[in-house]
Amino acid sequence: MSVRLKLTLSYAGFLMVAGGLLLATVWVFLLRYVPDRSSFGPGPFNPTRSDLADAFTPRAVQALAFLLVLGLVGGWFLSGRMLAPLTRITRATRRAATGSLSHRIELEGRRDEFRELADSFDAMLARLEAHVAEQQRFAANASHELRTPLAITQTLLDVARRDPDRDVGELLDRLQVVNTRAIDLTEALLLLSRADQRSFSPEPVDLSLLAEDATETLLPLAVRYGVTLEPSGDPAATAGSPTLLLQMATNLVHNAIVHNLPDHGTVWVSTRAEPGAAVLAVENTGEELSPQLVSTLVEPFRRGADRLRADHSDPSDHSDHPDHSRVGLGLAIVDRIVQAHDGTLTLEPRRGGGLRVTVRLPAA
């Protein structure tokens, strides 16, 4: 049986029970006080209990029959009115199941349980639509980025096949650069997927130790770029994946180094503990950035103009840790890792040029 039919039968049954109790009350508390035989002599008609019972019983049956019909008809109408919002939600669910995520219920009326359910469903559809659109855009960009090194490799091989006298060493060097870029992109995509799936067990982590490890690892790269690293900070305890959080800190410091001034640039790395949060801040000098540009830096495959410098760097200089910034995924990976740890990522243009990145994670 449908819910509407169940509610209709419930309403009718409740009405029948209420009517039956009312009639029983009349019988018990009124008719039983009427004598069974008339105590008066011959004269005007004096009804006895039997007479009243004979007259009451048919009327009671008629009243119960009327209540039954009223309960079924009224219950069917009332249940239909009450379940109308649920019908709209069901239609929206069926449309969403076919792949149409742009539809919204937009239920009107006062805020009751159905309104809260419809609003929650609309919010879920909006998140799903945004997520699907992001995934489609990400897949298209990833396909394009992966196709580029493969196309370059194919072109180099075709040229080498047509020109057997070409310098093999130069060909191998260019193939190595292209292959390294493809490997970096693949590893970045895998890391991004791992962060999205939250496939890790939280462990106690001190952000200050991770920041120190990241700065020490990237110190040779900073020296090569003529950038000064200035780490400082206090213990900042949180919980999460040490591997992912170390990758987050490494990406932030690496991004600050390669997108700095050509020479004499500075990167400040600091950690601190706030009430309920562990904070990692990375700040670097560099060119003036507009707030509009800064707001797009966490999008996958988004590159600033100054990232061309990283694109032309020698991949062998830092092969131990993939250069995700060269494939436009450095800050995107940071953003996904922060989201996977229920934290917040804030990007702000630095006064005087450069970028300030602040990561806040729940305190352990």
Side-chain angles (χ1 to χ4, degrees):
M1 292 187 296
S2 65
V3 175
R4 186 177 185 181
L5 181 57
K6 290 180 181 178
L7 288 176
T8 300
L9 295 178
S10 299
Y11 295 151
F14 177 78
L15 197 59
M16 290 289 292
V17 171
L21 290 177
L22 179 61
L23 295 177
T25 301
V26 173
W27 175 266
V28 172
F29 290 98
L30 293 179
L31 294 182
R32 70 174 183 171
Y33 293 107
V34 179
D36 190 31
R37 62 182 62 183
S38 176
S39 58
F40 301 98
F45 174 71
N46 295 314
T48 63
R49 186 191 307 172
S50 300
D51 297 331
L52 293 178
D54 293 341
F56 178 78
T57 301
R59 298 296 182 270
V61 173
Q62 293 175 3
L64 290 177
F66 174 77
L67 290 177
L68 177 61
V69 175
L70 180 64
L72 292 175
V73 176
W76 183 262
F77 175 76
L78 291 177
S79 61
R81 291 289 302 273
M82 293 184 62
L83 295 177
L86 189 60
T87 304
R88 292 180 57 179
I89 297 175
T90 303
R91 286 199 299 264
T93 305
R94 290 173 178 170
R95 291 188 60 177
T98 61
S100 175
L101 301 178
S102 60
H103 177 68
R104 298 293 181 270
I105 301 173
E106 296 180 351
L107 191 64
E108 305 86 1
R110 61 183 182 180
R111 184 169 294 278
D112 54 8
E113 289 81 357
F114 287 120
R115 174 73 180 276
E116 293 180 358
L117 177 61
D119 292 346
S120 300
F121 190 80
D122 286 344
M124 181 190 69
L125 284 179
R127 289 194 298 269
L128 283 176
E129 185 180 19
H131 182 70
V132 169
E134 180 183 358
Q135 292 298 322
Q136 291 176 346
R137 183 172 62 252
F138 179 82
N141 290 333
S143 301
H144 174 75
E145 295 289 335
L146 284 172
R147 182 175 56 187
T148 299
L150 294 177
I152 295 175
T153 301
Q154 182 65 41
T155 302
L156 292 175
L157 293 176
D158 291 340
V159 171
R161 187 180 297 108
R162 290 194 299 266
D163 187 7
D165 298 331
R166 186 181 179 87
D167 186 4
V168 178
E170 179 184 358
L171 174 64
L172 292 178
D173 291 339
R174 297 189 64 179
L175 286 175
Q176 182 180 5
V177 172
V178 175
N179 185 65
T180 302
R181 179 184 174 85
I183 293 175
D184 290 345
L185 177 59
T186 303
E187 293 180 350
L189 293 174
L190 292 175
L191 184 61
L192 203 60
S193 174
R194 182 184 175 192
D196 286 338
Q197 296 174 2
R198 300 194 179 195
S199 56
F200 59 85
S201 299
E203 301 176 19
V205 179
D206 188 349
L207 290 183
S208 62
L209 299 180
L210 298 183
E212 181 181 356
D213 191 359
T215 53
E216 289 181 357
T217 303
L218 295 172
L219 182 59
L221 180 65
V223 173
R224 188 176 302 111
Y225 277 85
V227 174
T228 302
L229 287 178
E230 295 188 4
S232 63
D234 302 323
T238 185
S241 168
T243 303
L244 290 178
L245 292 178
L246 177 59
Q247 185 66 58
M248 175 195 71
T250 302
N251 281 15
L252 288 177
V253 177
H254 186 278
N255 185 78
I257 293 174
V258 300
H259 303 139
N260 215 304
L261 296 173
D263 288 303
H264 308 295
T266 306
V267 175
W268 296 272
V269 183
S270 62
T271 57
R272 64 180 183 274
E274 294 182 351
V279 181
L280 168 65
V282 179
E283 186 175 349
N284 63 275
T285 55
E287 298 180 1
E288 290 280 354
L289 300 177
S290 64
Q292 292 77 13
L293 175 62
V294 170
S295 64
T296 63
L297 292 180
V298 296
E299 296 181 8
F301 305 104
R302 174 71 66 175
R303 298 187 184 88
D306 54 345
R307 294 195 180 184
L308 293 176
R309 178 182 177 187
D311 287 333
H312 294 293
S313 61
D314 184 359
S316 62
D317 290 343
H318 35 78
S319 58
D320 293 337
H321 27 270
D323 184 0
H324 299 149
S325 66
R326 294 187 299 130
V327 295
L329 288 175
L331 290 178
I333 291 176
V334 171
D335 183 51
R336 299 295 177 83
I337 293 176
V338 172
Q339 291 181 14
H341 290 80
D342 299 322
T344 58
L345 175 67
T346 305
L347 278 69
E348 301 172 317
R350 181 177 174 273
R351 180 175 299 180
L355 183 68
R356 180 186 295 109
V357 182
T358 304
V359 175
R360 284 182 172 83
L361 300 177

